[in-house]
Amino acid sequence: MSKKIHQLPPEEVLKVLETSPQGLSTEEAEKRLKIYGPNQLEEKKESPLIILFRQFNNPLVYILLVAMGITIYMGDKIDAFIIGGIVLVNGLLGFFQEIKARSSLEALKKMTETKAKVIRDGKEQLLPVSQITVGDIVIVGEGDVVPADIRLIEATGLLVDEAILTGESIPVEKSPESLEEDEPPLYRMKNLLFKGTIVVRGKGKGVVFAVGRQTQIGKIAEKVKESSPESPLNRALKSFSMKWVAVLIGILTFIFVLGIVQGRDIYKLFMLIISELVSAVPEGLPLVITFVLVIGAMALARKKTLVKYLPAVETLGSASFILSDKTGTITEGKLQVKEYTSDNDEILFLISALCNDATEDRGDPLEIALLKWLDSRDYPWKRVRNIYPRVWEYPFDTNLRLMATVHRVENRNYLLVKGAFETLKELATNNVEHFQKIHDQMAEKGLRVLAFGYAPVEGIPDDIRNIKIEVVGLVGFIDPPKKGVKEAVEIARRAGIRVVMVTGDNLKTAVAIAKEVSIYREKDVAVTGQEIARYSDDELYNLMKLCSVVARATPEDKYRLVKVLQKKGEIVAVTGDGVNDVPALKIADLGIAMGDGTEAAKEVAKMVITDNNLSVIVDAVKQGRAIAKNIRKIIYYLLSCSFGEIMLLTSAFLLKLPLPLYPIQILWINLVTEGVQDKTFAFNRPPEDLMSQKPEKPEKAFFDKKQLIDITYGALLIGGINLIVFIYMLKTADYSLAVTTTFTSLIANQWVNGFQAIKDEPFLKNIPDTFRANPYMFLGVGIGFLLQLVAVYVIPQWLHTTPLSIREWIIVLISSVAIFILLEIRKFLGRTGR
């Protein structure tokens, strides 16, 4: 039936779908939701069982299982049981953390769910798109994303971008008239709107005939399901892991060959290699990073920033440019008429009332401001609208920057126009020089200026660009800056982020506002979209280093600015709320949509700001930097600890000493240090000077020369000091006590390393601040300490330990203090790169 619905007249369509122009009742809608299902493209969700199995689907677990098999074969069943148990515990921890992370993300997704205007129970309502069903009456307007497949029953100047379905970049004109063709191609379905397409201009009303998987886009989605691209951080981790494993295999091959030559016991040699592999690769790193990102996304949500695409959090802190809208982001977005001038007040008021789509509280803010202004002057605009009905309209054109309507006034048609003065003066038949001077004076004050004109017409204009009008007046609007924006701009500047206002406003108006909030300063450059078209990409990039305002910008201009900056390695955040912002939002490193913006903008953005304020965006950048900083610290902590274990084991082997640790003990170390301490890094309090640092490139934020030097330094300390502990204990005690002391010392040293990683400055520089930086880490170490006491005194036979006396605990304390002091000295010398 859906194939023939385009052939039926609107009234027949309503009958077939058993609905009416008043829409469905709530009860009927609920019944249909059960029949047709929710109006959403179902994501392929993994079952909990698959998530559980995936925790064990990695080479490290395979190696541990091989090690467990060998220990069983060698008759050491207790070790085999413990290895298997720890593999299971780690897998279960990963499983529960991933389930919790998914639940948190689902909650965030619900917060960003788009809504559509629907008529239910005879009333207009905003409903979640997922709750729309067959038979619902939907109203769409400029900037809306079509929520379902809809048969039009009314349309006024409706243009829809269907590129997502047809590949055609030119918008399609839509109308409710029936089609005769039986099965026309999609691009000729003039009376149908398809889910996911974007309304570029005009408005329409229609009835839903297909939802969810039954829509055109749903059918395509079922055939082709493409997975999300891998995030930059994950790619960096994968690349690093592959290189490290290659180096490790070379090292272990050398050790194995040397061990054979030395006549080492094959079983112990193989267990050494397995132990080093387990030590070398922190298998929990991807999970911990995901955990940090989720915690960060939740923190951003509390600060009015909703993350739709989790990997975007990784690069948030690296933003070097913010291309920001003016209206609603930098300014209040609540316009009011500040001043006006006219050759005929009565005609100016008439145009303001009639060439206007707004009502008292709904519509374009500028048009609402006009109506409030008319109210303040006791002008009866509602009665005027009834007396002089609209017979034709030309919705606002973003390229021509004007809107026009035709009304029947005293038995004659009049064309009424409002728009940018630059546009209307080109159409003017009267002398507008006096208006030009007043316009410039208004613009210098930061007012947004509209010109108004009219002309008697015989019929409907064929081409709006060829009309001639008489310009009768100007109205200047003020849109005051939001509180906190000026301070946010200063913070961004200190942080090395260039804020550029990109607006469709007049150049003088834009500069006046930019000056007020410190975006535009002395020696800065301000240009128009028309001017930047004359620059090559290289010239434009050099210009953007000096530019702080781009006025009269088109969507193509904003798109090009993003591409040029990205080409030069800049990380670009773009804010937007209109359909004209969609191209730039989509390609930006961080597309940030405004919470009350169009559905089209929110659909393609990676983040949604619920409070339209530049200060919130700058605060989100700060949060992103804190997240990136925590990930860097986690990488340092895990790798320095893992490499320290490798150095201890390898050094003992090369010195022909017995193994300082059993493989089972290495697994236990990972549980009581990394297992309880690394998760707490997500709660690190950001340093005070976070926004006084320059942005880092994403590829250098986590792995750079300084980071690798720090990891190596920490690993040498941990490996070297514990080798000294092991050698000393071998000389003064038996092997079992030497292993237990080294085992406990290594764990305590890693805790100290974790404490030192909390913040970049020395631990002792501001002790109260250090303890406030992350209280959860001390809790994690407390849990780890209790577990270690269990290992030493409760289950020594399971972990090859023996009870320690006060003497051995003093040795553990001395080694930990030594680690602490040497890490502290490095910080005081200012050589740390974290």
Side-chain angles (χ1 to χ4, degrees):
M1 191 274 292
S2 63
K3 292 181 180 178
K4 306 291 182 181
I5 204 162
H6 60 275
Q7 296 176 300
L8 301 173
E11 56 273 14
E12 287 295 321
V13 173
L14 293 173
K15 287 181 182 178
V16 169
L17 296 175
E18 299 180 356
T19 186
S20 72
Q22 285 71 47
L24 301 173
S25 66
T26 301
E27 294 76 16
E28 179 62 22
E30 289 175 356
K31 290 178 185 176
R32 296 192 184 195
L33 276 169
K34 292 177 181 177
I35 296 171
Y36 297 105
N39 178 35
Q40 57 192 21
L41 303 183
E42 295 179 9
E43 297 178 17
K44 188 177 180 182
K45 294 185 179 179
E46 292 177 307
S47 72
L49 196 59
I50 292 175
I51 295 173
L52 177 62
F53 281 133
R54 191 174 60 249
Q55 308 305 317
F56 305 99
N57 184 23
N58 70 69
L60 292 167
V61 172
Y62 302 154
I63 292 171
L64 290 176
L65 294 176
V66 169
M68 185 174 70
I70 292 173
T71 54
I72 291 173
Y73 177 77
M74 300 297 289
D76 196 347
K77 294 181 181 179
I78 292 179
D79 271 14
F81 173 76
I82 295 174
I83 290 173
I86 290 180
V87 168
L88 180 63
V89 168
N90 279 333
L92 290 174
L93 283 173
F95 169 74
F96 288 119
Q97 286 179 351
E98 186 164 344
I99 290 290
K100 186 176 181 180
R102 284 169 179 260
S103 299
S104 300
L105 288 176
E106 285 299 319
L108 290 178
K109 283 181 181 179
K110 287 181 180 178
M111 293 173 72
T112 63
E113 186 175 10
T114 56
K115 294 184 178 182
K117 194 183 294 183
V118 179
I119 297 178
R120 285 259 181 100
D121 298 316
K123 299 176 183 177
E124 285 188 16
Q125 303 179 38
L126 278 176
L127 295 178
V129 167
S130 61
Q131 298 302 304
I132 291 174
T133 190
V134 173
D136 266 323
I137 304 297
V138 175
I139 300 171
V140 294
E142 181 177 327
D144 288 340
V145 175
V146 177
D149 283 5
I150 295 169
R151 169 63 164 90
L152 281 171
I153 55 178
E154 293 177 17
T156 305
L158 192 60
L159 280 182
V160 179
D161 180 357
E162 296 185 335
I164 189 174
L165 288 175
T166 65
E168 292 289 335
S169 58
I170 300 174
V172 179
E173 189 172 348
K174 296 288 186 175
S175 65
E177 285 76 25
S178 304
L179 303 176
E180 293 183 5
E181 197 172 348
D182 187 36
E183 290 191 36
L186 289 181
Y187 65 86
R188 288 216 292 269
M189 295 274 202
K190 303 294 186 183
N191 57 12
L192 301 185
L193 303 182
F194 300 106
K195 182 177 174 66
T197 58
I198 300 169
V199 178
V200 175
R201 196 177 73 190
K203 51 191 174 184
K205 182 189 293 186
V207 58
V208 175
F209 67 89
V211 295
R213 288 182 294 177
Q214 297 306 310
T215 60
Q216 286 295 327
I217 197 170
K219 292 172 183 176
I220 294 171
E222 284 299 308
K223 293 177 183 176
V224 184
K225 289 189 176 179
E226 187 176 348
S227 58
S228 299
E230 196 170 25
S231 69
L233 175 59
N234 284 341
R235 288 200 302 271
L237 288 174
K238 184 178 285 187
S239 173
F240 172 81
S241 298
M242 290 176 67
K243 291 175 183 176
W244 170 243
V245 168
V247 171
L248 188 63
I249 288 173
I251 294 172
L252 294 182
T253 301
F254 168 75
I255 289 174
F256 185 77
V257 172
L258 184 62
I260 295 295
V261 171
Q262 291 179 346
R264 297 275 186 136
D265 180 270
I266 295 295
Y267 168 73
K268 291 184 178 180
L269 187 60
F270 188 75
M271 293 305 288
L272 168 67
I273 290 172
I274 295 295
S275 300
E276 294 215 3
L277 277 173
V278 173
S279 299
V281 187
E283 66 276 9
L285 183 58
L287 179 63
V288 176
I289 288 174
T290 302
F291 179 71
V292 172
L293 293 176
V294 170
I295 294 297
M298 294 172 70
L300 285 168
R302 289 193 294 272
K303 296 185 177 182
K304 303 177 182 179
T305 303
L306 308 179
V307 180
K308 291 178 62 183
Y309 179 65
L310 191 60
V313 178
E314 297 170 12
T315 53
L316 181 60
S318 300
S320 53
F321 272 80
I322 297 177
L323 304 187
S324 175
D325 269 356
K326 179 180 78 68
T327 306
T329 306
I330 293 171
T331 60
E332 290 285 354
K334 296 176 182 177
L335 294 168
Q336 61 186 48
V337 174
K338 183 70 173 177
E339 57 185 80
Y340 79 99
T341 185
S342 78
D343 290 342
N344 188 318
D345 283 7
E346 190 63 30
I347 294 177
L348 177 62
F349 296 164
L350 187 71
I351 300 171
S352 300
L354 299 180
C355 189
N356 189 324
D357 287 331
T359 60
E360 293 103 326
D361 57 359
R362 179 172 293 182
D364 185 295
L366 187 144
E367 294 186 330
I368 293 174
L370 276 175
L371 297 182
K372 289 182 177 179
W373 172 58
L374 293 175
D375 281 335
S376 70
R377 304 190 68 83
D378 297 323
Y379 186 81
W381 58 269
K382 291 180 182 177
R383 186 165 62 85
V384 168
R385 284 182 173 182
N386 291 328
I387 296 172
Y388 306 128
R390 183 181 296 187
V391 296
W392 176 84
E393 68 178 291
Y394 184 82
F396 182 77
D397 188 312
T398 55
N399 292 316
L400 295 178
R401 302 197 301 280
L402 62 76
M403 171 188 177
T405 58
V406 173
H407 295 261
R408 194 72 178 168
V409 180
E410 297 176 357
N411 299 319
R412 189 171 184 183
N413 283 354
Y414 281 87
L415 175 74
L416 310 181
V417 183
K418 77 172 190 292
F421 178 68
E422 292 95 327
T423 301
L424 267 63
K425 75 178 181 180
E426 298 297 326
L427 307 175
T429 57
N430 58 321
N431 188 327
V432 295
E433 287 185 11
H434 63 298
F435 284 134
Q436 181 72 64
K437 293 178 182 178
I438 297 171
H439 170 275
D440 292 347
Q441 290 170 0
M442 288 183 176
E444 292 287 354
K445 298 174 187 176
L447 302 183
R448 184 171 180 177
V449 185
L450 271 187
F452 295 74
Y454 78 103
V457 291
E458 294 301 324
I460 302 303
D462 293 328
D463 189 340
I464 198 72
R465 290 169 294 188
N466 295 330
I467 63 171
K468 293 298 178 182
I469 62 172
E470 181 178 343
V471 175
V472 296
L474 303 174
V475 174
F477 302 81
I478 188 170
D479 182 9
K482 288 188 171 181
K483 291 181 180 178
V485 169
K486 185 174 182 178
E487 292 78 6
V489 171
E490 296 291 352
I491 292 170
R493 185 174 283 117
R494 287 199 302 272
I497 304 167
R498 188 164 192 85
V499 180
V500 181
M501 180 196 291
V502 183
T503 176
D505 270 354
N506 172 277
L507 181 62
K508 291 181 179 179
T509 304
V511 169
I513 292 294
K515 282 181 178 177
E516 199 168 342
V517 295
S518 293
I519 289 178
Y520 184 91
R521 298 188 299 175
E522 191 177 351
K523 296 183 181 180
D524 277 3
V525 175
V527 296
T528 65
Q530 195 173 11
E531 288 172 341
I532 68 173
R534 297 196 290 265
Y535 290 94
S536 68
D537 285 358
D538 288 339
E539 290 170 338
L540 182 56
Y541 176 65
N542 290 328
L543 177 70
M544 292 308 294
K545 293 178 182 177
L546 305 171
C547 180
S548 57
V549 176
V550 181
R552 292 302 188 208
T554 65
E556 292 76 18
D557 295 330
K558 203 167 186 179
Y559 179 91
R560 184 183 173 214
L561 287 173
V562 176
K563 296 294 285 185
V564 166
L565 292 170
Q566 288 176 327
K567 184 179 176 182
K568 296 295 183 178
E570 304 290 351
I571 304 300
V572 186
V574 172
T575 74
D577 57 4
V579 66
N580 58 321
D581 296 312
V582 167
L585 285 171
K586 193 167 186 179
I587 64 159
D589 297 284
L590 295 164
I592 305 172
M594 301 298 103
D596 59 1
T598 62
E599 297 305 320
K602 287 186 276 190
E603 189 86 5
V604 300
K606 295 182 177 72
M607 293 183 179
V608 178
I609 303 294
T610 58
D611 183 355
N612 304 3
N613 195 319
L614 184 66
S615 62
V616 176
I617 297 168
V618 172
D619 195 44
V621 171
K622 180 179 180 181
Q623 185 71 31
R625 288 190 174 189
I627 291 166
K629 206 82 168 173
N630 288 341
I631 291 174
R632 181 182 176 94
K633 290 176 179 178
I634 287 169
I635 292 170
Y636 161 79
Y637 171 67
L638 293 180
L639 295 187
S640 61
C641 290
S642 295
F643 295 174
E645 294 168 14
I646 290 175
M647 289 180 182
L648 171 61
L649 294 167
T650 304
S651 299
F653 175 80
L654 294 175
L655 293 173
K656 296 185 178 181
L657 299 173
L659 284 178
L661 297 169
Y662 287 89
I664 193 69
Q665 291 174 338
I666 295 172
L667 290 172
W668 181 261
I669 290 171
N670 290 343
L671 175 65
V672 299
T673 58
E674 297 169 13
V676 295
Q677 202 172 16
D678 59 3
K679 311 300 183 298
T680 66
F681 277 91
F683 305 101
N684 278 357
R685 196 180 66 181
E688 296 294 332
D689 65 343
L690 196 59
M691 292 300 281
S692 63
Q693 303 169 15
K694 300 301 179 185
E696 291 183 284
K697 301 292 184 187
E699 61 271 17
K700 293 183 179 180
F702 310 110
F703 296 111
D704 58 9
K705 184 178 178 181
K706 288 182 179 180
Q707 173 84 315
L708 294 176
I709 290 173
D710 279 348
I711 289 170
T712 303
Y713 180 76
L716 285 171
L717 290 182
I718 291 170
I721 286 177
N722 283 284
L723 179 65
I724 293 170
V725 169
F726 183 58
I727 292 172
Y728 173 77
M729 290 302 299
L730 283 176
K731 292 178 179 179
T732 60
D734 60 24
Y735 175 67
S736 178
L737 190 57
V739 168
T740 304
T741 306
T742 306
F743 171 44
T744 306
S745 171
L746 185 62
I747 288 173
N749 292 175
Q750 291 189 8
W751 289 334
V752 169
N753 191 30
F755 287 137
Q756 282 284 6
I758 291 177
K759 63 177 188 174
D760 297 339
E761 63 181 15
F763 189 96
L764 299 176
K765 186 176 179 181
N766 187 338
I767 294 178
D769 181 68
T770 300
F771 281 91
R772 287 194 301 268
N774 189 345
Y776 295 99
M777 186 167 286
F778 297 94
L779 177 63
V781 169
I783 294 170
F785 180 69
L786 291 175
L787 289 172
Q788 184 60 15
L789 292 178
V790 170
V792 172
Y793 297 107
V794 179
I795 51 171
Q797 68 279 11
W798 287 16
L799 293 169
H800 305 286
T801 60
T802 189
L804 298 178
S805 66
I806 294 296
R807 171 180 172 268
E808 286 80 50
W809 280 109
I810 291 173
I811 292 171
V812 169
L813 179 62
I814 291 171
S815 72
S816 300
V817 170
I819 290 281
F820 178 87
I821 291 172
L822 291 171
L823 288 173
E824 192 79 347
I825 288 172
R826 180 168 172 77
K827 283 188 177 185
F828 270 109
L829 293 176
R831 297 180 61 191
T832 181
R834 292 188 299 282

